[in-house]
């Protein structure tokens, strides 16, 4: 990983900039040639930012999220996350980067149904090889942060949608990742609960956490400090959502 | 490098997943249970039966050679001289002539016209532990004019009903004999083959028996071997000696080696056990396929879970380990139940056919090892498939 860092002389990575994308393109093979989902995307995120990526479905925002989350690698361009060069890494290294650098929050929560809330929150830590005691300690702390201390032993199907998403948020931040990456975090929630979840995001951001949120909802995007729009695979900086 | 914590977590996860699918897990395990149980039951029972048979035949004269002579027109059997020469061979512990006489035995009004009377010497009783009461025939009885007899249970029952035969007399071939000992039925294969009227057997000093037959040479002889590792050498020496004795006449004698028969039986029971275990292990194979099937279903069902775990940082190796552990867990648990079940079956089987139940440790290890192997072999492909899943597609799947 030290090697990856030295490969970025022209990007002038400072401590401030934790995510840097340059000319990122992603092509998918289709029946007649290939389909370009992302076209020369440039994006920089500074530590402590709350960024919303706003775009309708089919705009390429899922592809962008997958690349930001190191679930996928770009066809072209360079991507640095926390000083690490994310192209051409093998599966194993990508898994480790995801574990340490990225906290995922999904639209449909993705909690393991057969595990308690506490066990769900612990999950990323088990892959980080922490002691059982430390895992439990940290998971309890994060559950308390999202206000679910009394639900540690509850199973997902015993929790409301909003509570489940809060468990998922606790899971996303438990390993103290560089970025919190949320994909339509309110998409499966009613408006009121959705706003509660956004309040939690806002609080986390106030505490210094960097958040990247992908959404199609301009209203939700207003919670972010900065909004970028994506349309047909192209990113346009600036502007506040017209709510 | 996989850390212990990951392994521990995987074990816990596997146990949990198996528990939450109890019925399915049990049915899947059933294949392995039946397979292992069949292997264990067959190995234990078959080896029990063959041990029993070997013991039985070993009682019939292990460590001894039986020399039977038919003689030639010049020489009908073995003389005292020949016997002395055989006895002098280095690897010979002792010998006992075997002279069969069928004659009338009379006690008061109890008569058997065709009783089996066998002439033996003292070594026969030293080599075979048969005496239950009284004393065996001794060296001092062998002069040819001591009239004592050892009788077996059947003879005691027939000629001394409700009485203690010891010290009582019976007329054998018209001569009065005193009963000095009672013995178990002789299980020597040669004696058994010679049969008799079922009125029991009377053992008398062999010279007395020769006299009854009007002969002065011995037809059959048991040779007790000192060092059974060199029985073959002794047979060579015996053949050499007997060839000389009978002037190289063909077919004048034969030597029967119980140990070689035992060896043959041993080999056969070994082959039998392996064959049966091989057939039984087909059930194990079927069990393995069952596990593979269930694991493939499980991987498909849990695609989303796999995707999530990968997103949260599980490496392909960790995913593979988790699924592999699950299948190993299933098959080893099936194996342990199978071992218990198999031992129970063989215990019942041995009791049913009235032989001794012997716990066969190597069969247990074999069962355990094979179930482990089945788990790894048949869990490998599904686990591999799980580890190769693309997290993006996996997370999107419903």
């Amino acid at each position: 990983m030290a090697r990856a860092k030295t490969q970025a002389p022209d990007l002038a990575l400072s401590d401030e900039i934790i995510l840097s994308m340059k000319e990122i393109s992603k092509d998918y093979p289709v029946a007649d040639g290939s389909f370009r989902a992302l076209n020369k995307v440039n994006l920089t995120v500074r530590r402590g930012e709350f960024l919303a990526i706003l775009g309708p479905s089919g705009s390429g925002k899922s592809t962008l999220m997958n690349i930001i989350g190191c679930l996928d690698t770009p066809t072209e361009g360079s991507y640095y996350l926390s000083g690490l060069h994310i192209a051409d890494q093998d599966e194993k290294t990508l898994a480790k980067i995801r574990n340490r650098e990225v906290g995922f929050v999904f639209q449909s929560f993705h909690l393991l149904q057969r595990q308690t809330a506490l066990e769900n929150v612990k999950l990323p830590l088990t892959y980080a090889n922490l002691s059982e005691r430390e895992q439990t300690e940290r998971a309890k702390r994060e559950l308390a942060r999202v206000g679910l201390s009394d639900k540690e032993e509850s199973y997902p199907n015993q929790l409301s949608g909003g509570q489940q998403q809060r468990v998922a948020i606790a899971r996303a931040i438990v390993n103290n990742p560089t970025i919190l990456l949320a994909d339509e975090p309110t998409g499966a929630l009613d408006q009121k609960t959705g706003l509660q979840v956004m309040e939690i995001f806002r609080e986390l951001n106030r505490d210094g956490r960097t958040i990247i949120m992908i959404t199609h909802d301009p209203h939700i995007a207003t919670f972010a400090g900065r909004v970028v729009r994506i349309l047909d695979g192209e990113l346009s900086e600036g502007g506040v959502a017209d709510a | 490098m996989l850390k212990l914590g990951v392994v521990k977590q995987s074990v816990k996860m596997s146990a949990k997943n198996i528990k939450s699918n109890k019925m399915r897990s049990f049915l899947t395990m059933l294949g392995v249970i039946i397979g292992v149980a069949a292997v264990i039951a067959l190995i234990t029972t078959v080896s029990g039966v063959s041990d029993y048979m070997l013991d039985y035949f070993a009682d019939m004269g292990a460590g001894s050679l039986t020399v039977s002579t038919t003689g030639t027109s010049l020489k009908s059997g073995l003389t005292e001289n020949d016997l002395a020469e055989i006895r002098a061979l280095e690897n010979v512990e002792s010998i006992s002539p075997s002279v069969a006489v069928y004659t009338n035995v009379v006690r008061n009004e109890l008569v058997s016209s065709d009783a089996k009377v066998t002439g033996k010497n003292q070594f026969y009783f030293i080599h075979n532990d048969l005496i239950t009461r009284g004393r065996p025939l001794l060296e001092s009885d062998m002069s040819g004019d001591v009239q004592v007899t050892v009788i077996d249970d059947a003879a005691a029952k027939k000629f001394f009903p409700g009485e203690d035969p010891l010290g009582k007399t019976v007329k054998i071939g018209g001569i009065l004999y005193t009963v000095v000992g009672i013995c178990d039925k002789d299980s020597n294969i040669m004696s058994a083959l010679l049969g008799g009227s079922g009125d029991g057997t009377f053992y008398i000093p062999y010279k007395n028996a020769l006299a009854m037959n009007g002969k002065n040479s011995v037809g059959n002889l048991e040779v007790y071997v000192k060092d059974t590792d060199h029985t073959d050498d002794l047979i060579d020496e015996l053949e050499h000696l007997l060839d000389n004795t009978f002037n190289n006449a063909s077919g004048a004698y034969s030597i029967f080696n119980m140990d070689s028969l035992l060896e043959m039986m041993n080999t056969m029971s070994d082959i039998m056990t392996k064959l049966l275990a091989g057939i039984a292990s087909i059930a194990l194979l079927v069990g393995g396929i069952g596990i593979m099937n269930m694991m493939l279903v499980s991987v498909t069902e849990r695609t989303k879970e796999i995707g999530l775990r990968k997103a949260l940082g599980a490496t392909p190796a960790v995913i593979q380990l988790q699924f592999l552990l699950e299948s190993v867990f299933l098959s080893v648990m099936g194996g342990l139940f199978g071992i218990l079940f198999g031992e129970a079956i063989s215990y019942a089987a041995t009791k049913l056919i009235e032989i001794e139940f012997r716990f066969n440790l190597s069969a247990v290890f074999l069962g355990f090892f094979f179930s482990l192997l089945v788990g790894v072999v048949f869990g490998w492909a599904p686990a591999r498939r799980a580890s190769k899943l693309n997290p993006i597609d996996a997370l999107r799947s419903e």
Side-chain angles (χ1 to χ4, degrees), chain A:
Chain A
M1 305 228 171
R3 183 185 56 88
K5 271 181 185 173
T6 60
Q7 276 180 349
D10 57 330
L11 277 159
L13 278 175
S14 75
D15 273 348
E16 281 283 275
I17 296 170
I18 53 168
L19 182 152
S20 151
M21 282 186 161
K22 211 169 184 188
E23 307 269 296
I24 291 282
S25 296
K26 180 72 184 180
D27 296 329
Y28 289 114
V30 285
D32 46 350
S34 70
F35 166 75
R36 177 148 282 205
L38 287 179
N39 189 22
K40 300 196 167 151
V41 167
N42 291 301
L43 181 66
T44 309
V45 178
R46 288 168 195 280
R47 188 178 298 281
E49 257 191 306
F50 187 170
L51 171 74
I53 298 172
L54 182 62
S57 61
S59 59
K61 62 184 198 303
S62 289
T63 306
L64 183 60
M65 183 200 125
N66 288 338
I67 291 176
I68 291 173
C70 303
L71 288 165
D72 206 350
T73 48
T75 316
E76 282 167 28
S78 64
Y79 173 31
Y80 285 86
L81 175 63
S82 202
L84 304 166
H85 189 214
I86 309 296
D88 47 79
Q89 303 278 16
D90 61 11
E91 257 292 301
K92 189 179 157 187
T93 315
L94 284 178
K96 283 194 174 145
I97 293 170
R98 287 197 291 271
N99 184 249
R100 277 185 220 143
E101 312 293 341
V102 186
F104 288 93
V105 175
F106 302 96
Q107 178 175 0
S108 50
F109 325 136
H110 283 321
L111 298 177
L112 297 183
Q113 295 301 313
R114 289 199 287 260
Q115 312 245 351
T116 63
L118 188 67
E119 285 168 332
N120 266 291
V121 175
K122 271 160 83 171
L123 207 54
L125 300 178
T126 60
Y127 297 123
N129 282 309
L130 289 172
S131 75
E132 184 75 32
R133 226 185 90 231
E134 195 173 352
Q135 286 180 27
T136 309
E137 231 164 64
R138 280 167 71 166
K140 282 188 172 182
R141 199 171 60 214
E142 298 308 331
L143 265 182
R145 194 197 293 269
V146 297
L148 288 176
S149 278
D150 55 333
K151 300 289 184 192
E152 281 174 7
E153 298 308 319
S154 301
Y155 287 88
N157 60 13
Q158 298 167 323
L159 299 173
S160 71
Q163 287 170 330
Q164 288 188 54
Q165 193 60 302
R166 275 145 71 192
V167 171
I169 292 169
R171 181 181 65 190
I173 57 179
V174 74
N175 204 18
N176 197 22
T178 311
I179 53 169
L180 176 61
L181 185 58
D183 179 20
E184 302 279 7
T186 59
L189 302 173
D190 62 55
Q191 205 191 355
K192 194 175 148 234
T193 355
L195 290 178
Q196 285 169 359
V197 165
M198 289 319 297
E199 269 312 317
I200 292 175
F201 277 128
R202 197 180 252 170
E203 239 167 74
L204 288 172
N205 179 243
R206 227 176 269 141
D207 292 345
R209 192 159 296 286
T210 313
I211 301 173
I212 300 173
M213 177 175 70
I214 286 145
T215 182
H216 72 281
D217 184 347
H219 179 65
I220 290 296
T222 56
F223 281 85
R226 178 160 75 109
V227 179
V228 293
R229 287 164 179 277
I230 185 166
L231 196 64
D232 295 333
E234 312 234 358
L235 206 64
S236 56
E237 186 85 21
V240 176
D242 31 74

Side-chain angles (χ1 to χ4, degrees), chain B residues 42 242 264 269 292 329 357 375:
Chain B
L42 279 168
L242 291 168
M264 206 170 75
S269 86
M292 186 153 160
F329 213 86
F357 172 74

Side-chain angles (χ1 to χ4, degrees), chain B residues 71-365:
Chain B
T72 63
S73 50
L74 294 172
K75 188 173 164 72
S76 63
L78 298 167
T79 61
E80 280 296 318
N81 242 348
D82 298 330
L83 297 185
E85 269 182 56
I86 291 172
R87 210 185 150 182
L89 290 175
E90 202 188 315
N91 199 14
V92 171
E93 168 102 34
S94 59
I95 60 173
S96 173
S98 198
V99 183
V101 185
Y102 295 93
T103 184
N104 60 322
V105 172
V106 182
R107 177 167 186 262
N108 302 336
E109 70 280 8
L110 295 166
V111 180
S112 173
S113 59
D114 188 26
K116 187 180 166 199
V117 177
T118 307
K120 297 281 187 189
N121 70 6
Q122 70 274 20
F123 295 114
Y124 174 79
F125 292 96
I126 292 170
H127 191 77
N128 299 294
D129 184 23
L130 295 170
I131 296 295
T132 50
R133 290 177 56 224
R135 65 163 178 89
L137 297 180
L138 301 171
E139 192 178 357
S140 53
D141 302 329
M142 295 302 148
S143 63
D145 39 52
V146 179
Q147 275 76 40
V148 291
T149 180
V150 170
I151 65 176
D152 69 4
D153 291 334
K157 226 171 260 165
K158 159 97 183 168
F159 290 96
F160 302 92
E163 287 181 72
D164 182 3
L166 287 182
K168 304 227 162 57
T169 55
V170 63
K171 239 182 202 164
I172 300 173
I175 301 163
L176 212 56
Y177 277 76
T178 306
V179 178
V180 293
I182 297 166
C183 68
D184 276 336
K185 195 173 154 48
D186 179 16
S187 59
N188 183 289
I189 191 163
M190 292 315 273
S191 314
L193 288 175
L194 289 171
S197 61
D199 287 343
T201 306
F202 294 80
Y203 297 96
I204 58 174
Y206 76 100
K207 279 184 186 163
N208 304 26
L210 283 176
M212 277 183 197
N213 272 351
K215 283 185 178 172
N216 52 13
S217 64
V218 172
N220 296 305
L221 180 70
E222 275 166 40
V223 178
Y224 305 125
V225 184
K226 242 187 227 160
D227 176 6
T228 49
D229 288 344
H230 296 100
T231 306
D232 288 345
D233 297 337
L234 177 61
I235 290 173
D236 288 345
E237 288 172 49
L238 268 175
E239 280 173 347
H240 184 72
L241 196 150
L242 291 168
D243 280 343
N244 276 340
T245 308
F246 290 107
N247 261 327
N248 293 320
S250 69
Y253 69 90
S254 64
I255 299 172
F256 177 77
N257 181 6
M258 195 58 174
D259 290 339
S260 68
L261 182 76
L262 285 175
E263 222 168 87
M264 206 170 75
M265 282 177 57
N266 240 331
T267 315
M268 273 172 59
S269 86
D270 253 21
I271 293 170
M272 195 74 175
T273 308
K274 279 174 189 152
L275 193 75
L276 285 171
I279 293 169
S281 59
I282 292 173
L284 207 54
L285 186 78
V286 175
I289 293 168
I291 285 189
M292 186 153 160
N293 189 32
M294 171 178 161
M295 291 311 295
L296 284 173
V297 170
S298 178
V299 169
T300 309
E301 276 179 354
R302 281 151 66 192
T303 300
K304 222 157 104 180
E305 174 190 331
I306 295 163
L308 174 76
R309 286 174 180 277
K310 286 193 149 187
L312 298 186
T315 59
V318 167
I319 298 286
Q320 186 167 0
L321 178 77
Q322 188 195 326
F323 279 87
L324 200 58
L325 276 174
E326 212 168 301
S327 80
V328 168
F329 213 86
L330 272 177
S331 65
V332 166
M333 241 160 75
L336 292 178
F337 281 125
I339 288 168
L340 282 179
F341 199 42
E343 291 292 347
I345 291 172
S346 41
Y347 181 79
T350 49
K351 283 284 160 278
L352 202 69
I353 52 181
E354 293 178 336
I355 62 171
E356 192 194 345
F357 172 74
R358 280 187 205 164
F359 183 73
N360 192 329
L361 195 65
S362 61
V364 170
F365 277 123

